[in-house]
Amino acid sequence: MSGIVRRLCTAVIATSAIAAFTVGCGSDIEPKAIAESSSSVADSTTTSAAPTTSKITGQEGSDDGGDVDIDVSIGDCVKLGGTTTAAEIDNADCGSKESNYKVVAKVPTSDQCASDVDSYYYETLAGDEQGAVCLDVDWVVGGCMDLGSGMDEPARIECSDASGTNVVEVVEILQNSTSIDECGSGADSGFEHPERKFTVCVATL
């Protein structure tokens, strides 16, 4: 697979006679395939399995302001869902079944998120963005995510659960990496983050 799928989801909620409040999200969640024989790069750092989110240096962004209703800090995790016309976001424990994204930065407008974030959530008032949170999938090495049909938000799933439609298991996360070609032989696809220089290597189940 190749290319990027970006989607937006928005909802308008009346807050007064003269203003409307909009929430929205966007996500890139289509992996690129790699040859099974690709080998791991020796100087890359592989994150070990942990009961919570795997720590990735490129996800330690900054809080540059902006105003959103949800109270989150950099490194917190959330459950992002809803539909394309009614985005929903809630706090969640990192690595939990409910968590599907990690907050990697907070910015005044969504276009200020790093170009390679997996998703973002923003809120507007009278058509103007008031704030946005930049999001990456809450990957856990050794854990699985169901990426759905491409219009669904990722959902944590047991690797043995046969009900998933597009399930991937995280094999390793490479720091200082910009290409899925650097993933080891256990991975068959992955997610490149060239701006922040890390690669999530996955195996399709």
Side-chain angles (χ1 to χ4, degrees):
M1 290 175 282
S2 63
I4 296 295
V5 173
R6 178 170 289 279
R7 72 184 182 85
L8 301 177
C9 49
T10 60
V12 178
I13 305 167
T15 55
S16 71
I18 59 171
F21 182 74
T22 303
V23 297
C25 66
S27 68
D28 297 328
I29 54 169
E30 184 172 337
K32 298 179 182 178
I34 60 172
E36 190 172 326
S37 60
S38 296
S39 59
S40 181
V41 174
D43 62 343
S44 296
T45 303
T46 303
T47 310
S48 59
T52 57
T53 307
S54 298
K55 184 174 180 180
I56 303 170
T57 301
Q59 292 181 330
E60 297 171 352
S62 59
D63 184 342
D64 295 328
D67 184 24
V68 291
D69 277 351
I70 188 168
D71 183 17
V72 289
S73 300
I74 309 303
D76 288 350
C77 291
V78 298
K79 178 180 182 180
L80 183 65
T83 67
T84 55
T85 57
E88 299 174 357
I89 191 169
D90 292 299
N91 298 89
D93 292 331
C94 291
S96 68
K97 184 172 178 57
E98 291 74 26
S99 171
N100 57 359
Y101 287 104
K102 174 189 270 191
V103 177
V104 298
K106 297 173 71 177
V107 291
T109 59
S110 58
D111 61 0
Q112 294 172 298
C113 290
S115 63
D116 58 3
V117 294
D118 294 325
S119 188
Y120 52 80
Y121 169 88
Y122 63 90
E123 297 176 353
T124 68
L125 182 63
D128 296 322
E129 282 198 45
Q130 303 298 299
V133 288
C134 312
L135 305 168
D136 279 343
V137 174
D138 179 23
W139 300 114
V140 175
V141 173
C144 290
M145 296 292 280
D146 184 357
L147 303 182
S149 65
M151 290 302 293
D152 303 316
E153 297 298 345
R156 196 171 311 285
I157 190 171
E158 293 294 328
C159 295
S160 59
D161 189 340
S163 67
T165 58
N166 185 12
V167 179
V168 296
E169 179 179 1
V170 182
V171 176
E172 59 184 343
I173 299 174
L174 304 177
Q175 301 276 192
N176 303 312
S177 169
T178 59
S179 174
I180 55 177
D181 293 336
E182 299 171 352
C183 292
S185 59
D188 60 17
S189 61
F191 300 87
E192 299 168 340
H193 298 80
E195 181 177 342
R196 292 172 296 151
K197 296 181 172 57
F198 69 90
T199 300
V200 179
C201 305
V202 302
T204 305
L205 301 184

